[in-house]
Amino acid sequence: MYEQASHALLNEILIALKPEIGNMRLRHFYTRLGANFYAIHSLFHLLYGGRTDFKEQMVSLVETLAFRYIERVPHLRRSDLERERDYNWFMSQKWVGMALYCDRFAGDLKGLRTRLPYLQELGVNMLHIMPILDCPPGHSDGGYAVRDFRNVDTRYGTTEDVEALSATLKRRDMLLVLDVVVNHTSDEHEWAQRARRGEKKYQDYYYVFDDREMPDTYEETMPEIFPTTSPGNFTRDEAMGKWVMTVFNSYQWDLNYHNPAVLIEMIDIILFWANKGADILRLDAVAFLWKKIGGTCQNEREAHLLLQLMKDCCQVTAPGVLFIAEAIVSPSEITKYFGEDAINAKECEIAYNAALMSLLWDAVATKNTKLLNLGIKNLPNKLERATWLNYVRCHDDIGLGFADSDALLSGYDPAQHRRFLVDYFIGRYSGSPARGLPFGENSETGDARISGSLASLVGLESALENNDEGAIDTAIKTILLLHSVILSFGGIPLLYYGDAIGMLNNLEYLADPYQRDDNRWLHRSRFDWSKAERRHQHGTVECRIFSALKRMIALRKEITAFADFDNRQLFVVDNPNLLVFSRTDQQNSRNKVLVICNFNVEAQALLIAPLLPHGLFQQGSMKDICSGERITAENDALMIPPLSCYWLAD
Ligand code: OTU
């Protein structure tokens, strides 16, 4: 968009730029800056226009973009141009992700390079390495309390190791995902240290208050994130003699984006890691970016403006780099993190599908799909050229974030139903085989979330203990069923590192004084390579899970209808135990895949009549892509075996 005021300012800035910027060959930089400057300027003005130093800050932002562009090495610039041309590249069904801790999985970054064959064997080609930046040895929140945003923690390696890994991945056509913890820093970060020593400039990087007056006002409307381990949203820093906002742990200081310098620093850091070869950046806790008295300080409009700015700026310097929004918020809020408009208000290309995740766990516990179907039906439409990150579980607790309105429509009292689910997964509900732990129980609100490994939550741990073949079978089927949904739903499936071999809960964290109060470590165990070896031993649990997943992943990559082009149709069917949807190939609308999942422990019937008008089951039978078998309707109905899934094609 061309607009005089902003273009005049752009010209002024370009003339005033430091000579080393003006002289470089920056053709692509300038065309992108020209295209995005109106948006950048308007957004920056909306947020910071009232400041006397507005113009200086604006110049400093543009300089940051230019300097990082100058540093961007030729092969990354080439990849930017390729991705500009092939702009739907990440919507393809060929991508399958996995999140892992580099130390827990492979010792360190060098070790990780030697373990890539395992990922490739499974078919994983997008690697999210959990945060690896320098953290204090003790209070690190699993890497989310960063002490130095530009250095890799010596426990994992060096920045050069990241670059080497990125190059290795590129050769194997794999993507690298890194975290940028945009919302807060460790209290040992240099900015926090200097704030503590009384430097006003750095106190302004955080929400710092002399007394309890402002904190108390904020607290009236702010919920608590870690009520058991870190109650309240403010911490008294004795050395500074002041209160500082700490929404997460008391040692994680919230950055204050009311200060433009903070935003510019963070954009600089984003571009720094883009330049080290990250293909995708996972922006942590984006819902929390903007705090405002009287609000919940989550999902504020300004948080979205900040993300739009980050995106617009990244598109100027490193347009091939994508963002993942980590916003574990209500379904109606999540989709807003894609942005409200693909051109004018773009935010993150990818977002965690926390809604689907929580709905899947509901279906596991209730063994029906009432809420799952409603939740999917009512999932707000997302932007074009935006895609979900679909996951069964991740390194965090499982929050039951489905919409209350959907729970009501399913015939549940939302609070009571959530209590049932927590009880079910922590094994407090009689007959439940699950072995989870409650996380973040809030006695005031009654809320709780769930920790535990996938295998332990679906009953594999108890089944193995009881040597109960039937229960082992049920657990394995559930693991595969859940993955069959995330592999076919539309979006990038993100596996969690231990799940493909059925890793169980691990209590080692209790021996670590810095971990023992945070039971999310229950499902963050050291990857067991001897257990992984058994994936090749026919008949073992590991082999049964791994080989089936590997097969489904390979098949997914071949099914063009699974690419994410807003091409899913949900079928509302009579049987409340089934999830039924079709996916249609964008290139050829006759090429459809029908996905049918049965979450019940009994076989279930599906009448084919409602499918016929959609060109499905025309011949009375379809082929299951996974097993290769033909599935034939009898008496106009199909029988879907317990806890199983079909991917049906003609
Ligand atoms: C994220 O988590 C990370 O994934 C956690 O591992 C960190 O502890 C946390 O940020 C702080 O850095 O912010 O938008 O319910 O889902 O804390 C969601 C707990 C987050 C997590 C929540 C989440």
Side-chain angles (χ1 to χ4, degrees):
M1 150 101 75
Y2 176 82
E3 185 270 339
Q4 258 102 5
S6 87
H7 238 75
L9 176 63
L10 176 59
N11 287 333
E12 217 179 293
I13 290 178
L14 292 182
I15 290 165
L17 282 185
K18 301 204 172 98
E20 62 266 41
I21 301 178
N23 292 337
M24 306 291 293
R25 292 180 47 213
L26 303 178
R27 182 163 67 93
H28 293 298
F29 174 78
Y30 285 129
T31 52
R32 289 170 190 145
L33 182 63
N36 276 11
F37 190 74
Y38 172 71
I40 293 174
H41 175 224
S42 313
L43 289 163
F44 206 72
H45 195 266
L46 261 176
L47 290 166
Y48 308 116
R51 294 176 57 108
T52 50
D53 63 349
F54 172 74
K55 215 168 179 175
E56 283 109 274
Q57 297 289 355
M58 193 71 232
V59 172
S60 148
L61 176 62
V62 175
E63 274 176 0
T64 301
L65 303 184
F67 277 127
R68 297 294 80 80
Y69 181 78
I70 291 166
E71 271 168 22
R72 197 155 171 79
V73 295
H75 80 266
L76 294 177
R77 289 191 190 186
R78 264 199 308 281
S79 140
D80 289 335
L81 291 169
E82 274 159 30
R83 289 175 182 175
E84 269 178 347
R85 273 191 299 271
D86 180 22
Y87 48 80
N88 283 332
W89 66 273
F90 61 97
M91 320 278 280
S92 158
Q93 76 286 353
K94 84 171 210 185
W95 301 115
V96 175
M98 180 184 278
L100 54 82
Y101 289 91
C102 102
D103 57 333
R104 298 180 161 250
F105 185 73
D108 57 18
L109 286 165
K110 285 204 173 74
L112 189 49
R113 279 168 76 193
T114 69
R115 294 298 193 181
L116 295 180
Y118 171 83
L119 303 181
Q120 287 184 291
E121 182 185 335
L122 185 57
V124 166
N125 52 13
M126 179 183 123
L127 175 58
H128 171 211
I129 311 179
M130 299 297 296
I132 44 173
L133 299 189
D134 176 50
C135 281
H139 285 140
S140 68
D141 189 24
Y144 288 100
V146 178
R147 184 165 60 184
D148 181 349
F149 285 111
R150 288 188 180 77
N151 266 310
V152 172
D153 202 300
T154 51
R155 286 170 285 187
Y156 313 134
T158 62
T159 312
E160 289 69 40
D161 290 333
V162 174
E163 287 175 294
L165 178 66
S166 153
T168 310
L169 291 173
K170 219 143 262 166
R171 277 196 294 278
R172 296 172 189 227
D173 197 18
M174 295 171 84
L175 302 172
L176 176 63
V177 185
L178 293 179
D179 274 87
V180 180
V181 186
V182 284
N183 180 69
H184 44 261
T185 73
S186 155
D187 62 348
E188 291 187 26
H189 189 285
E190 190 197 337
W191 302 334
Q193 303 278 25
R194 295 177 74 165
R196 194 174 269 141
R197 287 199 296 267
E199 282 186 51
K200 172 85 172 62
K201 173 175 173 194
Y202 290 102
Q203 290 185 352
D204 287 348
Y205 273 40
Y206 300 98
Y207 292 89
V208 170
F209 304 101
D210 291 334
D211 52 39
R212 279 297 306 186
E213 194 187 327
M214 291 292 278
D216 286 339
T217 319
Y218 271 109
E219 288 287 14
E220 284 167 21
T221 50
M222 282 175 92
E224 288 175 301
I225 306 303
F226 296 145
T228 44
T229 47
S230 185
N233 289 290
F234 293 85
T235 301
R236 168 104 186 147
D237 187 82
E238 289 309 335
M240 186 163 60
K242 292 180 196 283
W243 291 88
V244 59
M245 186 187 282
T246 55
V247 168
F248 293 93
N249 289 296
S250 55
Y251 53 85
Q252 286 165 306
W253 289 19
D254 284 72
L255 286 165
N256 186 349
Y257 282 89
H258 290 81
N259 178 354
V262 169
L263 174 65
I264 296 169
E265 295 264 21
M266 205 42 83
I267 289 174
D268 200 17
I269 291 161
I270 287 174
L271 298 176
F272 178 87
W273 288 106
N275 283 350
K276 297 292 171 224
D279 298 284
I280 304 178
L281 295 170
R282 173 194 183 274
L283 305 185
D284 184 57
V286 288
F288 295 84
L289 284 183
W290 192 266
K291 321 297 198 290
K292 162 185 307 173
I293 294 270
T296 58
C297 302
Q298 286 181 47
N299 307 315
E300 301 290 353
R301 175 172 169 261
E302 289 83 352
H304 289 284
L305 302 180
L306 288 167
L307 285 167
Q308 286 166 30
L309 259 170
M310 289 178 182
K311 181 79 269 181
D312 288 337
C313 289
C314 188
Q315 282 179 334
V316 171
T317 299
V321 173
L322 308 184
F323 289 169
I324 299 177
E326 195 255 351
I328 313 303
V329 293
S330 70
S332 58
E333 293 292 342
I334 295 184
T335 36
K336 295 186 187 161
Y337 290 91
F338 291 121
E340 311 255 7
D341 180 301
I343 296 153
N344 291 318
K346 178 96 202 160
E347 296 180 23
C348 302
E349 291 84 354
I350 308 170
Y352 275 78
N353 197 346
L356 179 66
M357 184 275 299
S358 71
L359 293 162
L360 287 173
W361 287 102
D362 175 86
V364 170
T366 60
K367 302 180 178 58
N368 71 59
T369 55
K370 285 191 286 184
L371 187 53
L372 176 60
N373 271 297
L374 270 170
I376 294 176
K377 181 166 151 257
N378 294 333
L379 206 60
N381 286 336
K382 59 179 170 56
L383 276 190
E384 258 179 64
R385 298 203 47 240
T387 198
W388 289 116
L389 199 67
N390 294 314
Y391 63 113
V392 175
R393 78 129 29 275
C394 68
H395 69 288
D396 278 330
D397 48 289
I398 295 169
L400 303 169
F402 45 75
D404 282 358
S405 48
D406 291 338
L408 284 166
L409 281 172
S410 306
Y412 305 128
D413 170 82
Q416 235 174 342
H417 188 62
R418 286 199 176 85
R419 219 162 300 136
F420 154 72
L421 291 172
V422 172
D423 284 347
Y424 181 91
F425 286 112
I426 65 173
R428 217 190 266 157
Y429 184 80
S430 94
S432 160
R435 289 278 174 86
L437 288 176
F439 177 83
E441 270 181 315
N442 188 328
S443 51
E444 259 168 59
T445 59
D447 285 347
R449 284 113 72 183
I450 300 151
S451 285
S453 81
L454 165 60
S456 294
L457 289 176
V458 299
L460 186 59
E461 189 177 331
S462 51
L464 288 168
E465 244 171 52
N466 301 332
N467 234 327
D468 179 340
E469 276 306 325
I472 292 174
D473 195 52
T474 298
I476 293 176
K477 282 194 174 125
T478 310
I479 292 173
L480 298 177
L481 175 62
L482 292 167
H483 281 91
S484 77
V485 180
I486 62 164
L487 285 163
S488 61
F489 188 78
I492 304 173
L494 182 75
L495 282 70
Y496 188 57
Y497 65 109
D499 292 348
I501 54 165
M503 287 215 3
L504 306 176
N505 288 344
N506 187 323
L507 293 173
E508 261 171 43
Y509 76 99
L510 292 172
D512 182 325
Y514 292 103
Q515 294 180 352
R516 74 171 162 233
D517 295 326
D518 185 342
N519 64 31
R520 290 177 297 174
W521 291 98
L522 184 63
H523 52 266
R524 297 174 178 175
S525 23
R526 214 158 290 288
F527 189 75
D528 184 343
W529 284 98
S530 54
K531 187 173 162 63
E533 272 313 306
R534 291 201 288 273
R535 74 188 183 278
H536 296 134
Q537 219 172 299
H538 192 73
T540 59
V541 166
E542 294 79 10
C543 179
R544 288 163 72 189
I545 302 173
F546 189 92
S547 53
L549 276 181
K550 177 180 164 177
R551 187 173 161 73
M552 278 197 279
I553 289 171
L555 291 168
R556 162 190 159 91
K557 292 182 180 175
E558 299 299 316
I559 303 174
T560 44
F562 282 177
D564 189 18
F565 290 103
D566 201 16
N567 49 343
R568 181 183 50 251
Q569 183 178 8
L570 182 71
F571 292 104
V572 183
V573 297
D574 281 342
N575 190 327
N577 303 299
L578 301 176
L579 170 68
V580 184
F581 58 85
S582 69
R583 303 293 315 280
T584 305
D585 193 330
Q586 276 316 87
Q587 306 299 321
N588 172 6
S589 63
R590 277 185 317 195
N591 180 6
K592 287 188 183 203
V593 176
L594 178 67
V595 176
I596 308 176
C597 302
N598 176 6
F599 277 84
N600 199 273
V601 289
E602 308 283 340
Q604 297 293 320
L606 172 65
L607 295 174
I608 59 165
L611 305 172
L612 295 171
H614 302 278
L616 298 158
F617 273 97
Q618 301 290 301
Q619 262 63 57
S621 78
M622 287 179 87
K623 195 177 108 181
D624 178 26
I625 300 173
C626 296
S627 64
E629 274 169 47
R630 273 214 94 74
I631 307 299
T632 309
E634 270 169 50
N635 303 324
D636 297 327
L638 301 175
M639 282 311 277
I640 323 296
L643 297 173
S644 60
C645 179
Y646 287 148
W647 291 351
L648 301 175
D650 274 331

